[in-house]
Amino acid sequence: MGSAATMAMTVLCFTKSNKLTSTFRTLPRLTCSSLSNSPFKFNISFSPSNPKPKPDPKPEPENDDDGPLMIPWIVRGEDGNFKLSSEPPPSFLKDMAIAKTGTKKSDKIQTTKIKKKTEKETKVHAVAQPQYSKAARRFYNENFKDSGGERLSKVLAASGVASRRSCEELIFEGKVTVNGSVCNTPQTKVDPSKDIIYVNGSRLPKRQPHKVYFALNKPKGYICSSGEKESKSVISLFDDYLSRWDKKHAGVPPPRLFTVGRLDVATTGLLIVTNDGDFAQKLSHPSSNFSKEYIATVDGLVHKRHLMAISEGTTIEGVHCVPDSVELLPNMPNAQRARLRIVVHDGRKHEVRELVKSAGLEIYSLKRVRIGGFRLPPDLGLGKYIELNPTNLKALGGKVNKVDS
């Protein structure tokens, strides 16, 4: 370095009166010396290694006169003019919420619509039937589709061939042919109007008799059997009806009639006769729970203990049967015997007779007067019958379709 240099600095200061003044100050001469034998000498001083820390500047006191810091929002008021508000507008908060979740309402609605559309298309594709050619549908209908016919044994029984059990035996013995082939299965579905059916070499008529329903006032001494060997079957009381059948229904075989349930040979009263097996099954099955009312004429005097004993029931075939009601009817003029009105629903064999017998009484005569909601007409004589109309069948819990007579 050359000789010592002299520097000058001009410091500008602003006074409280904002007047600009200038002052010149001359810095002292600096002398530097080196360790070598250089002719130049420098005098350099360093600050101490551990200088005293300077105290932190005191924080300026906060001025709380104006309250907390407030960010003003310019919003439009109800009067339509702009004003300052301390709260952001609702639209801004809504946009911030949407931006935070990352889902817009329109996108959510669109997603829901697409999902519903996809589910609907899937359901339609699952339900829609496959399309086949006319030839394929015709082949299926002729060879595989159920024609809606009835069981072979049922058709034979309805045509008057024999009882259903006897018809099943004929089928098992190979005495029935369908369309030229021997059929050994009673459950085979057939349609007499389309299929050619032979029984023991005789052609079964194409037309089937319509369903018929009768209410019979059964007399004493007749049994509820449709066998040909029985001389006094209740079915024989319909001989006059069957003899007139051909005149009214030409070409149609007469119906094979049978009784719904049974009354013993000594019991009289209401008995249903029909050729409708389904109706008979429904009416006679225990699950139908139809009540049956009987009038029992007994020998001897009836006391309260007898009524109590009958109402407590008795065991029949291992089942304890209890009647629905027991009532002692008023004495009739010129009647020497007491009458009991007994209502049951189990339908066990000789149920009413066993109930009266268990009470220590003896039945002189027994008559059934009601089944379900149908009561035996009082003017219907013994051995007479009437054909039931739809109202009567409804009272019995039955329902039939309209047929051509």
Side-chain angles (χ1 to χ4, degrees), residues 65-221:
D65 296 340
D66 297 335
L69 181 63
M70 181 185 70
I71 302 178
W73 298 89
I74 301 176
V75 298
R76 187 182 296 274
E78 296 180 356
D79 55 355
N81 298 325
F82 289 102
K83 64 179 182 178
L84 293 177
S85 175
S86 60
E87 297 180 357
S91 59
F92 177 79
L93 297 176
K94 183 177 180 180
D95 293 340
M96 290 294 293
I98 293 175
K100 185 176 181 180
T101 57
T103 305
K104 294 183 179 180
K105 184 177 181 181
S106 59
D107 296 341
K108 186 176 181 180
I109 296 175
Q110 188 68 15
T111 305
T112 305
K113 289 182 178 179
I114 295 174
K115 185 178 180 180
K116 290 183 178 179
K117 185 177 179 181
T118 305
E119 292 178 354
K120 185 177 181 180
E121 291 178 353
T122 305
K123 185 177 181 181
V124 170
H125 287 306
V127 175
Q129 297 292 335
Q131 300 296 326
Y132 299 101
S133 64
K134 291 183 178 180
R137 293 196 299 270
R138 187 184 307 112
F139 178 81
Y140 172 79
N141 294 334
E142 293 177 355
N143 296 273
F144 300 100
K145 186 178 180 180
D146 187 3
S147 60
E150 294 182 330
R151 296 188 302 273
L152 178 59
S153 59
K154 185 176 180 180
V155 171
L156 297 181
S159 300
V161 174
S163 64
R164 188 174 299 185
R165 183 174 300 177
S166 300
C167 291
E168 290 179 354
E169 294 177 357
L170 292 174
I171 296 173
F172 289 136
E173 293 173 0
K175 297 181 179 180
V176 180
T177 61
V178 179
N179 298 327
S181 301
V182 177
C183 183
N184 300 105
T185 307
Q187 293 80 11
T188 303
K189 294 293 185 67
V190 295
D191 186 355
S193 61
K194 298 179 181 180
D195 298 322
I196 302 174
I197 304 173
Y198 277 86
V199 181
N200 287 329
S202 300
R203 171 75 182 271
L204 195 72
K206 290 185 177 181
R207 299 178 60 185
Q208 298 293 306
H210 62 270
K211 307 299 182 183
V212 293
Y213 309 88
F214 300 97
L216 171 69
N217 189 356
K218 176 189 173 297
K220 188 176 181 179

Side-chain angles (χ1 to χ4, degrees), residues 205 207-210 245-246 249-255:
R207 299 178 60 185
Q208 298 293 306
H210 62 270
W245 179 266
D246 291 336
H249 311 280
V252 180

